[in-house]
Every structure is written in structure tokens, then in C-alpha cells.
Amino acid sequence: MNISINNTSPILSCRLNPLPSNTSFKTSCETLLKRIKRLDARTLNCILAYDDPDKPLIDDGKHTYFWYLAIGSMINPISLHLRDITPIISYPVKCPNHKLVFRDQCGMADIEECQGEEFDGVVHLVPIEQMDRLDQVEHMYKRIIVKIIDYEQRSHLVYVYKMNLIGEKERPKSTPSERYLDIIVKGCEYFGVRSSYINRLKYEQPVIPRKLPNTYRTIENIPDNVYYTNEDLAKHDGKDPTLPLWISVNGKILEYIGVPPQNHSDYDNQKRFYDFVVSYFGGREVVPAISRSWYEPMYKLPLNDDDICDEHRILAEDMCVSWGLNCCSGDTNTIYWKPIGRLRKTLNTTKSE
């Protein structure tokens, strides 16, 4: 098996410490198990009767299901739940002639072809509507087909997400965050991935250590004494072409400056990102959604807004600043958002800073 180790990282000595989040993750899993409704064995067997290992999907004549190889956060059961993904069946596998790498400024998981190597992941069987949802969430990726081998040496074709190129080049390799690797490792443990692979992730893969709460970055340069209501925010949801797109991050309202020109190398990615933001965040406070989308195992499963503590909210803001608000291209000199004011607090407004 192979995981690409980034030897250029200045923090090669940092490795995952999974212990601080163990209790919260265990509690979250216990909560999740009470909410999940599994298919009965008879229904599952009826679906699997139409399975063909040489096809990455199942069509029983009424419904379509996709075999999906998770290699990053979607390995984790909490991350799946927070994106409304409920696999019909899940199991650990090996992916031959490929390796796991981490790319872009966020250090996100990607698959790279490499003859003779292999890495482990978790295959989920999901309905077509959930696969469509994943396509939207994974806006920086495209679906490709690869062959996997389960632990009983049975092969199957599956879909996996491959990160989009910038122009004609692969995105640069980088170091994952400790939070992100913790999500992957805990998911691997939950679904029974081989301990040898888990240990390699734990003890050999460098990580960017978790920040201390007093080092979280916040959005700055907010205009003084400029406030907007929830109604103002809702009007700027990106659906009215005469109004700019707005989002609120922990009560701070940001305006989208605009998609770059079509001849710009990052146009396609930014257009997808814009469509993604409009679909999920446009005209709304994003912290609740970010807390679910960028799950942090250090905190309990956020089933509602009240489950998100103040520290978790500021962490969500830090994530937005670090990953989502400058650009998604790796070009940190490009700014696509500008602060324009604050969300006026009302009795019905999500807590803000």
C-alpha cells in the first residue's frame, strides 16, 4: 500500500493525535446509530441480485444505485450523515495500482494512478439521488471508474472522485490537516479497514496540527456600523441576477466579487464553486452548514444550531477564512469575497460573534 508523503512540509515531525477526539466521536456514533434506519436483509439481497462486478452501478429496473469508493472524509460515518448520505451497504477494500495523495492548499485526499501500489478505502452503495448530491458537494472533483478488491479478494468496478486539474496540471501535493486525517482514520476504524493501513496513516503521514482556539483566524475589515437583516441577506441568494451573492459567516456578511473571465485558468473551478455556494449557502448564515460539511471530531455531532458551541462557531469561521473565502485554486493572491457588514441580531438569528 502507498500513501504519498509530502517531504517538502516544514512540519514533518507532526503526526495525528486521535485521542482528544475519541470521546466526542464515540458519543456522536452512538447518537447516529439511534437515528439510522437500515434496509432489511431481504430488500438488500433483492438489490444485490442485480449486481454485476464489471459495472460500477446496479439497476434493478426501478432504481439505480452506485458503488462509490470513499477515500477521504466520506469514509467517516458522521461525515456521511451530515451530508444526508445513507449507504445501503459499506465495506473496506483495497484499490490496486493507485495511491492516496493529498493536494491543494486544503490538503484534500486525491487518487493517483501508480502501478504496483495500493491503498485502502471504504466502498458505499448509494442511491442515485445521493450520488447526485455527492457530485454537487465534490465540486472540485470529477468521477472516474477504478477497480477495487475487497478483503476476500473479490474485484468490482466502482466510482471514485478524482480532483480536477488546474488547466492541464495536477494540483500541487500538500499536507493534510490533523482534523481531516482524524476524520479519515476514525472512519477507517469504524468500517474495519486493515490496521496496517490505519497505522500508516497515523504514524507515517505528516499533518498540519490542529490550531489552538486562541489562534483561530476571523474575518477582518468589516465596515463599522453597517448592519443588514436576515431579509436583506435572503434576497442576495444568487438567484436574482441583478443582485450580488451574499453569505454570512458567523454574523459577518460577505459579497462575492465575481467569477473570473472565461479565459482564466481557474474559471471552471470558480464557476462550479459559485454554483455550489448558491445551492447550499446563498443568502444564509453558513456556520451551521460549515460545521456539518467540515466536520470536526473534537465536537459532538451538530444535529441542530444549538449543538454548535461558540468555540465551534469560531472554528467554522477560521475554516472559511483558511479554505473557502480567498479562492479554491491554490492562488492565495486572488480574492473572490469582500466583507460588507454584519448580520443584525434578532431573536431568530443564529448566534454570531
Side-chain angles (χ1 to χ4, degrees):
M1 71 188 70
N2 189 286
I3 305 167
S4 180
I5 303 298
N6 176 20
N7 292 320
T8 63
S9 171
I11 51 172
L12 286 176
S13 62
C14 295
R15 297 295 184 271
L16 171 66
N17 178 9
L19 297 179
S21 59
N22 281 349
T23 300
S24 291
F25 180 69
K26 180 180 178 181
T27 301
S28 295
C29 286
E30 291 171 351
T31 301
L32 179 60
L33 287 173
K34 296 176 182 178
R35 300 171 64 91
I36 292 179
K37 295 181 180 179
R38 297 292 187 187
L39 280 183
D40 60 88
R42 181 176 179 276
T43 302
L44 176 60
N45 289 334
C46 287
I47 294 172
L48 294 178
Y50 291 87
D51 185 38
D52 181 348
D54 293 324
K55 295 181 180 179
L57 53 82
I58 297 176
D59 189 340
D60 64 5
K62 296 181 179 179
H63 306 284
T64 304
Y65 306 89
F66 288 75
W67 291 107
Y68 157 53
L69 172 61
I71 64 175
S73 61
M74 291 297 97
I75 288 176
N76 191 289
I78 305 301
S79 296
L80 288 167
H81 175 74
L82 292 174
R83 287 178 171 82
D84 294 324
I85 305 298
T86 307
I88 295 172
I89 188 174
S90 303
Y91 58 90
V93 298
K94 301 173 289 185
C95 185
N97 298 317
H98 291 83
K99 63 181 179 180
L100 177 70
V101 297
F102 297 95
R103 297 190 189 277
D104 213 22
Q105 67 185 56
C106 303
M108 306 303 287
D110 193 19
I111 185 171
E112 182 172 282
E113 187 173 354
C114 187
Q115 292 298 313
E117 301 290 353
E118 68 177 18
F119 73 97
D120 291 36
V122 175
V123 162
H124 306 298
L125 182 63
V126 298
I128 186 172
E129 61 272 13
Q130 295 186 15
M131 199 72 205
D132 289 342
R133 190 178 306 132
L134 281 168
D135 285 343
Q136 291 182 309
V137 171
E138 305 291 1
H139 60 89
M140 289 177 60
Y141 294 77
K142 63 179 179 181
R143 261 197 277 146
I144 64 171
I145 298 174
V146 297
K147 183 177 78 171
I148 55 87
I149 300 174
D150 67 21
Y151 290 174
E152 296 181 3
Q153 304 307 311
R154 296 171 299 192
S155 64
H156 207 297
L157 292 183
V158 300
Y159 286 106
V160 66
Y161 286 102
K162 167 69 180 170
M163 194 172 288
N164 293 323
L165 303 177
I166 299 179
E168 298 181 356
K169 296 182 179 180
E170 292 276 16
R171 292 168 183 263
K173 293 178 182 177
S174 58
T175 303
S177 68
E178 186 175 14
R179 176 199 71 89
Y180 186 59
L181 195 67
D182 197 13
I183 289 172
I184 296 173
V185 166
K186 282 180 165 55
C188 286
E189 292 172 338
Y190 183 89
F191 284 112
V193 170
R194 293 182 295 177
S195 59
S196 57
Y197 180 74
I198 293 173
N199 288 339
R200 183 165 171 79
L201 289 173
K202 282 183 178 180
Y203 305 124
E204 297 184 29
Q205 174 61 52
V207 296
I208 298 173
R210 282 184 169 100
K211 294 181 178 180
L212 296 175
N214 62 0
T215 66
Y216 290 161
R217 297 171 61 190
T218 58
I219 297 168
E220 300 177 345
N221 301 318
I222 311 296
D224 294 332
N225 300 317
V226 179
Y227 294 92
Y228 298 94
T229 65
N230 281 312
E231 290 74 19
D232 296 328
L233 178 63
K235 292 177 182 177
H236 293 75
D237 60 1
K239 298 176 182 178
D240 185 342
T242 66
L243 297 174
L245 172 65
W246 289 3
I247 60 173
S248 174
V249 181
N250 207 13
K252 301 170 183 178
I253 296 181
L254 305 178
E255 180 176 293
Y256 192 64
I257 295 176
V259 177
Q262 290 190 12
N263 60 357
H264 192 283
S265 62
D266 202 32
Y267 170 79
D268 289 338
N269 289 319
Q270 280 301 318
K271 182 61 170 65
R272 279 189 291 267
F273 182 60
Y274 175 84
D275 293 340
F276 169 74
V277 172
V278 169
S279 298
Y280 289 91
F281 303 139
R284 289 184 287 168
E285 168 60 54
V286 305
V287 161
I290 294 299
S291 298
R292 297 178 179 94
S293 299
W294 285 334
Y295 165 59
E296 168 54 87
M298 294 285 289
Y299 303 102
K300 68 177 182 179
L301 174 63
L303 296 176
N304 53 57
D305 291 0
D306 292 335
D307 285 336
I308 308 172
C309 65
D310 289 342
E311 183 178 292
H312 196 177
R313 290 176 185 277
I314 300 175
L315 171 62
E317 182 177 347
D318 175 81
M319 288 179 172
C320 289
V321 172
S322 300
W323 298 345
L325 298 184
N326 291 332
C327 67
C328 288
S329 66
D331 177 9
T332 55
N333 293 319
T334 304
I335 304 298
Y336 291 107
W337 298 89
K338 67 176 181 179
I340 61 171
R342 295 179 183 272
L343 188 63
R344 189 179 299 279
K345 295 182 180 181
T346 67
L347 292 177
N348 295 322
T349 301
T350 299
K351 290 189 295 183
S352 61
E353 185 185 53

